[in-house]
Amino acid sequence: MSILVTSQTRVLIQGITGSFGARHAQLSLDYGSQIVAGVTPGKGGKFFEHGAHKVPIFDTVEEAAHQTGATVSTVFVPPPFAADAILECVDADLDLVVAITEGIPINDMIRVKQKMQGSATRLIGPNCPGIVTPGEGEHSHGGCRIGIAPGYIHKRGNVGVVSRSGTLTYEAVWQLTSRGYGQSTCVGIGGDPVNGTSHLDVLRLFNEDPETEAIILIGEIGGSAEEEAAQWAAEHCKKPIAGFIAGTTAPPGRRMGHAGAIVSGGKGTAEGKIAAMKAAGIAVAETPSVMAETLLRHWGKL
Amino acid sequence: MNIHEYQARELFQKFGVASPLGKAASTPEEAATIVKELGAAQIVVKAQIHAGGRGKGTFSNGFKGGVHVCHTADEARHLAEQMLGHALITNQTGPDGRQVNKLLVAEAVDISRELYFAILFDRTICAPMIIASTEGGMDIEAVAEHSPEKIIRIPVDPLLGLQPYQTRKIAAALDLRGSLMTQATKLFLAIYRCFIESDCTLVEVNPLVVTPDGRLLALDAKFNFDDNALYRQSAVLAMRDKAEEDPREVAASEFNLNYIGLDGNIACLVNGAGLAMATMDIIQHCGGRPANFLDVGGGATKEQVSAAFQIILGDQAVKGIMVNIFGGIMDCDVIAHGIVDAARETALQIPLVVRLEGNNVDAGKKTLAASGLALQSASSMQDAAEKIVAAVHAA
């Protein structure tokens, strides 16, 4: 098994006719993922065509889910409309919504988060690269690619990866794949201060997933999600974890690209997070160049 | 984004938040006119720059103090003449100071009590949080550390908004009784409306004052805004003062580049915010000092790479450049061409180390090697950081 999604998961894309959504819909189809529907209000009845693929477009998420059996949505909708797009998935009772959109206002997200409490729908993101459960084929073809990650760098295997940053996830995945170690599932939880699924939530899922044998957890400055995950891992996680925290050199009070990457009032520092991880028995990589190596040592593979 | 004190007052007036009467003046004549309009017994004249420490600052012409109290229009005109158009140097501005183009001319109120009131976006609970204290006029972090019992925290349900009973609870805790309680409810609700409708992440009123004649007024306010919401806050965006910002950061924002200047000498150019932070970290880890944070984004174009080089090289302290690209989807060869062109356009004289990985990387490396430029290729992030640190130390 993997977590959250498998190669059989049926996925719809909100914003499939926009340039960004269309480009990544094509890449996911090429990767062999089950992209079964698109949603663009006003374009229902048309098709998204790519090679031999002909993906039906619907006006609403509810119609798309009902007629195609999609259980997961990917949101590529621009920031002013993204919160509404997420709520539409909650209303349609989807299992999972993955919000790629960067730049959603905080006020919109805190209302979405409040509204989602107690609902059956899980949110990943926003401002995230998405999820990849690698496939069995060449260059991991045939897996489930939701979002914007490069599919070919993956390999089917037993390491779970969770991160707030897209490119650092790719870096870790590539280091693993180059050393012959594959991934069960890679989850980008996003760089915004208000997100749906935390490091801790993903750790729980990896801990329960029989296919996942070891975990890489990548964090960055800002907030306290990494500390909470580390504390939980110390008591409950049965699997070896390696970690990395970006932003040791970031000046306080400045937002480092990601809306959530900021040290304020002395809180959310890299030092604090690294100390919490070490105290929890997580092997912390000294530099981002040795994330895979650190895990493999800790896991007893080197 | 930061705003000036006079702009904060204007924002408060728009939402009906009680604060001392006052206006901004751009000329000594305007300052005198505002004093006549106000008709107050005491007037305060305050230099408008974003940096703190204004009261104790010194102007480039030798005039002392960025904040003065006076009583007449003539006095205000005279003060304005010595402040406007001159740079004010404070402990936060650096040696060059900041040019003062506007003054806030306002009634100076007598104070019987100083309180603290703030609304902020609280990341832990993902909701707005009210923070209030009887200890106004001082650093709230210090109060939190030494007398945590004097700080009141009230979370707000984002779907309901701030409720009147909550404002009475805060007022009672601040011992605002009688007519002051009624004023407090009105003021707190108005600040909350301002916080939500202006997409703020922080509105901090310090101090919130009670005057001897029984008025409750927001005396000084600090605002932070959610950058993601600026697209729908044209009135807030119009308050942006680019002269107060780092010119390199202003230039970068025009090309949709995310740049933050630091004080080291090794510049970096990276795709992705997490990787960009990690690149700064690894430069420091290898014994160098990063000169900046620079994220060119997921789909960097040739034009952006070129603009990024111009901005990096505009910093005289920069003695070397490290490019770190993980081209997942983007074509490494396109990036390689961008780097080569930018290095040629800028007639690059300082060491350049390039680490490329990902999509079409072999073609990218060939392009770099064939360029004839004196750049070094690196096989990993660590290798790149070691090479650039060594090159800068050798130069």
Side-chain angles (χ1 to χ4, degrees):
Chain A
M1 276 301 286
S2 50
I3 66 164
L4 298 166
V5 292
T6 70
S7 55
Q8 300 310 309
T9 301
R10 297 171 75 77
V11 179
L12 68 87
I13 293 179
Q14 285 166 277
I16 198 168
T17 51
S19 62
F20 194 42
R23 165 95 170 112
H24 287 285
Q26 290 169 356
L27 290 168
S28 285
L29 287 166
D30 291 344
Y31 190 63
S33 304
Q34 306 294 313
I35 306 298
V36 297
V39 174
T40 300
K43 293 193 179 164
K46 297 195 163 89
F47 290 88
F48 178 82
E49 294 186 49
H50 174 58
H53 302 283
K54 205 173 172 197
V55 179
I57 299 174
F58 298 86
D59 287 319
T60 71
V61 170
E62 191 172 38
E63 287 170 345
H66 189 70
Q67 291 183 41
T68 65
T71 56
V72 174
S73 176
T74 326
V75 174
F76 279 103
V77 169
F81 318 107
D84 181 62
I86 296 168
L87 290 175
E88 188 180 356
C89 298
V90 178
D91 180 67
D93 275 331
L94 296 190
D95 294 338
L96 180 67
V97 47
V98 181
I100 307 303
T101 310
E102 176 174 7
I104 306 178
I106 290 175
N107 269 334
D108 293 10
M109 276 314 300
I110 61 181
R111 285 184 209 129
V112 166
K113 180 132 179 150
Q114 189 81 4
K115 176 74 187 162
M116 287 184 83
Q117 296 216 341
S119 92
T121 307
R122 175 192 287 280
L123 170 67
I124 301 267
N127 189 13
C128 79
I131 309 175
V132 177
T133 289
E136 305 282 357
E138 197 187 350
H139 302 301
S140 75
H141 188 272
C144 182
R145 171 189 183 270
I146 296 181
I148 59 174
Y152 68 92
I153 62 170
H154 295 80
K155 173 183 162 72
R156 184 100 207 103
N158 307 100
V159 180
V161 180
V162 55
S163 169
R164 270 159 77 183
S165 149
T167 34
L168 276 178
T169 311
Y170 313 156
E171 192 75 43
V173 167
W174 185 240
Q175 287 174 18
L176 286 167
T177 300
S178 307
R179 284 168 176 75
Y181 288 86
Q183 304 86 38
S184 52
T185 302
C186 302
V187 186
I189 59 173
D192 273 5
V194 182
N195 62 6
T197 296
S198 67
H199 280 110
L200 171 49
D201 297 331
V202 180
L203 274 193
R204 273 183 211 272
L205 296 172
F206 280 142
N207 198 37
E208 287 158 17
D209 171 36
E211 194 182 348
T212 302
E213 293 174 14
I215 300 160
I216 290 185
L217 185 153
I218 302 166
E220 61 193 33
I221 54 164
S224 57
E226 292 84 353
E227 288 90 327
E228 286 152 23
Q231 204 175 352
W232 181 87
E235 290 170 31
H236 301 102
C237 193
K238 302 170 292 209
K239 301 172 182 178
I241 309 175
F244 176 73
I245 300 290
T248 305
T249 51
R254 300 301 308 266
R255 247 167 246 289
M256 307 305 284
H258 287 154
I262 180 167
V263 172
S264 55
K267 297 198 183 75
T269 64
E271 291 74 14
K273 289 173 191 291
I274 290 168
M277 287 167 104
K278 285 184 174 166
I282 295 172
V284 180
E286 285 257 328
T287 75
S289 269
V290 294
M291 291 186 285
E293 195 185 314
T294 305
L295 178 73
L296 296 178
R297 273 185 211 291
H298 189 50
W299 190 12
K301 301 285 183 187
L302 284 183
Chain B
M1 199 193 102
N2 290 313
I3 60 172
H4 288 293
E5 189 184 5
Y6 79 91
Q7 294 169 322
R9 292 276 181 98
E10 286 171 6
L11 208 48
F12 270 173
Q13 275 162 18
K14 185 172 152 195
F15 286 91
V17 177
S19 54
L21 298 171
K23 273 186 183 170
S26 308
T27 65
E29 222 31 65
E30 274 177 28
T33 309
I34 295 167
V35 172
K36 286 176 196 155
E37 284 171 11
L38 288 173
Q42 273 199 101
I43 297 291
V44 62
V45 179
K46 302 171 97 171
Q48 299 294 288
I49 57 171
H50 282 176
R54 291 174 298 172
K56 290 178 181 156
T58 303
F59 284 88
S60 47
N61 58 356
F63 187 66
K64 298 267 185 216
V67 179
H68 289 271
V69 173
C70 67
H71 300 88
T72 67
D74 281 343
E75 282 175 6
R77 183 188 294 111
H78 186 64
L79 284 169
E81 279 164 1
Q82 294 169 88
M83 296 163 86
L84 284 170
H86 301 288
L88 176 60
I89 301 122
T90 81
N91 56 2
Q92 292 183 14
T93 60
D96 294 336
R98 300 266 177 80
Q99 163 118 349
V100 176
N101 297 319
K102 277 199 164 70
L103 302 171
L104 173 65
V105 181
E107 69 167 319
V109 295
D110 288 327
I111 295 168
S112 46
R113 289 183 68 201
E114 285 189 296
L115 309 168
Y116 176 94
F117 179 89
I119 307 177
L120 55 85
F121 156 64
D122 187 311
R123 210 166 155 159
T124 316
I125 60 166
C126 286
M129 175 80 91
I130 309 271
I131 297 181
S133 173
T134 51
E135 307 302 292
M138 50 183 98
D139 178 15
I140 197 69
E141 307 276 347
V143 179
E145 200 178 322
H146 299 115
S147 353
E149 74 287 353
K150 288 185 175 158
I151 295 196
I152 310 149
R153 287 190 171 81
I154 311 261
V156 181
D157 182 318
L159 298 179
L160 281 178
L162 182 64
Q163 299 297 300
Y165 79 86
Q166 293 179 302
T167 67
R168 295 192 296 275
K169 191 169 163 178
I170 302 160
L174 297 176
D175 202 24
L176 296 168
R177 308 286 177 177
S179 128
L180 284 170
M181 184 170 273
T182 319
Q183 290 183 57
T185 290
K186 193 168 169 247
L187 186 121
F188 296 160
L189 289 172
I191 297 174
Y192 186 77
R193 206 162 68 81
C194 175
F195 175 86
I196 294 294
E197 290 182 19
S198 307
D199 277 304
C200 300
T201 53
L202 171 77
V203 179
E204 182 184 52
V205 179
N206 191 20
L208 170 71
V209 301
V210 179
T211 64
D213 57 353
R215 288 187 293 160
L216 183 67
L217 299 172
L219 197 61
D220 201 359
K222 185 181 172 202
F223 280 80
N224 284 336
F225 299 94
D226 174 11
D227 290 342
N228 284 354
L230 288 175
Y231 74 84
R232 63 185 180 198
Q233 296 292 345
S234 52
V236 171
L237 203 53
M239 293 193 280
R240 181 174 175 192
D241 184 351
K242 288 185 184 170
E244 291 278 351
E245 297 174 22
D246 183 329
R248 297 171 299 177
E249 293 176 18
V250 174
S253 70
E254 276 156 24
F255 288 92
N256 278 324
L257 298 167
N258 225 319
Y259 174 94
I260 292 172
L262 302 172
D263 55 10
N265 57 7
I266 298 178
C268 44
L269 187 162
V270 190
N271 66 326
L275 195 62
M277 266 187 274
T279 303
M280 290 162 37
D281 297 347
I282 203 167
I283 288 171
Q284 176 142 314
H285 181 84
C286 293
R289 288 183 302 121
N292 65 277
F293 167 92
L294 176 54
D295 170 15
V296 295
T301 61
K302 195 180 146 301
E303 288 71 29
Q304 280 180 310
V305 173
S306 173
F309 264 78
Q310 301 277 3
I311 290 159
I312 284 172
L313 293 169
D315 181 348
Q316 297 302 314
V318 168
K319 301 292 176 235
I321 302 174
M322 169 171 165
V323 174
N324 184 15
I325 300 286
F326 193 101
I329 304 289
M330 69 161 96
D331 186 331
C332 285
D333 195 33
V334 173
I335 291 293
H337 279 287
I339 294 166
V340 168
D341 290 353
R344 287 206 180 111
E345 281 164 23
T346 54
L348 191 70
Q349 299 294 326
I350 56 175
L352 169 65
V353 176
V354 182
R355 181 264 180 154
L356 283 180
E357 189 58 82
N359 190 13
N360 205 13
V361 64
D362 293 334
K365 284 182 176 169
K366 268 184 202 149
T367 300
L368 292 178
S371 70
L373 291 168
L375 58 81
Q376 296 184 71
S377 269
S379 58
S380 72
M381 253 199 259
Q382 178 98 27
D383 183 39
E386 282 167 2
K387 279 179 173 157
I388 191 66
V389 169
V392 166
H393 282 176

